[in-house]
Amino acid sequence: MMKLAVLATLAASAAAFAPASTGKVSTTLAAFEGELGVQAPLGFFDPLGLLDEADQERFDRLRYVEVKHGRIAQLAFLGNIVTRAGGHLGGDIDKAGHAFDSYPNGWAAIYGADAIPVKGALQIFSFIGLLEIAVMKDMSGFGNEFPGDLRNGTFKSAWDKFDEETKMQKRGVELNNGRAAMMGILGLMMHEQIGGIIPIVGQM
């Protein structure tokens, strides 16, 4: 199960970075080489050919997925760092008196002999599913400006105060941080299975 999770994460990460073979890809390169995130040293990087003969709608869909995966990966990586440094919620996770810090860190909190009980894990995944279906989505009719813009009519004044150059800079920072976090959480997942000690992170 862990191997499948690692492989799935690796595939998603490779897709997210979306030179490849020449020929028909040249038209794709010309179409998307000016998009946000195309930068040195890799430039336009689509090793799986997901954008071969793609249109703008296909590109926007993949960019939306990349941004969302990046945001999730940032939360996952930060969560690993904080909990491994000893940061946990106070109190008990259930009425039986099990404290939040009584469960292991990382993947072991989900799967293993000392993992969170199945009912607790189901509650967590159900809450995430609710966010995915009803909250964290690009709703039409709210004037969202770009793929991954999930404000849906909220925080307009906070974002609109920036000029276009600043907006692009902030979006680029988020995109690159998300890419780095996808690689980071994948590395933590793999090292957790290998074991050992990592600087800053500590014992895996």
Side-chain angles (χ1 to χ4, degrees):
M1 184 174 181
M2 183 59 200
K3 292 180 180 179
L4 291 176
V6 171
L7 289 174
T9 306
L10 180 60
S13 300
F17 281 98
S21 59
T22 58
K24 66 178 182 179
V25 181
S26 60
T27 56
T28 301
L29 176 60
F32 301 118
E33 63 181 357
E35 292 284 351
L36 182 70
V38 178
Q39 59 194 48
L42 295 179
F44 180 81
F45 187 61
D46 181 21
L48 299 182
L50 298 179
L51 290 175
D52 291 358
E53 301 182 350
D55 55 14
Q56 189 65 44
E57 182 179 359
R58 169 69 171 168
F59 177 88
D60 289 345
R61 171 58 186 168
L62 291 176
R63 172 51 54 83
Y64 173 81
V65 171
E66 177 184 17
V67 171
K68 177 177 281 190
H69 285 176
R71 290 168 177 169
I72 294 171
Q74 289 177 75
L75 290 173
F77 186 86
L78 182 61
N80 258 273
I81 297 298
V82 171
T83 54
R84 292 184 187 281
H88 298 86
L89 294 175
D92 300 330
I93 196 173
D94 56 23
K95 293 182 179 180
H98 297 107
F100 282 98
D101 61 3
S102 66
Y103 292 98
N105 300 311
W107 182 257
I110 303 280
Y111 183 78
D114 300 319
I116 297 171
V118 174
K119 291 183 179 180
L122 287 176
Q123 291 180 52
I124 294 173
F125 285 113
S126 297
F127 178 66
I128 295 173
L130 176 64
L131 292 177
E132 175 73 16
I133 295 173
V135 181
M136 306 304 293
K137 58 186 298 185
D138 188 350
M139 303 178 185
S140 60
F142 287 97
N144 294 334
E145 300 177 13
F146 51 85
D149 183 0
L150 307 182
R151 292 175 298 149
N152 300 320
T154 61
F155 304 105
K156 291 184 67 67
S157 60
W159 178 251
D160 292 343
K161 69 180 182 181
F162 299 116
D163 57 36
E164 291 304 315
E165 182 179 356
T166 303
K167 288 180 179 180
M168 291 296 288
Q169 187 266 340
K170 289 183 176 294
R171 288 176 58 198
V173 168
E174 180 190 26
L175 190 61
N176 285 330
N177 286 348
R179 290 169 171 175
M182 284 188 275
M183 294 293 98
I185 191 60
L186 176 62
L188 287 180
M189 291 170 65
M190 295 177 68
H191 277 285
E192 185 176 1
Q193 302 307 306
I194 298 172
I197 300 176
I198 299 178
I200 301 177
V201 179
Q203 181 68 45
M204 298 300 291

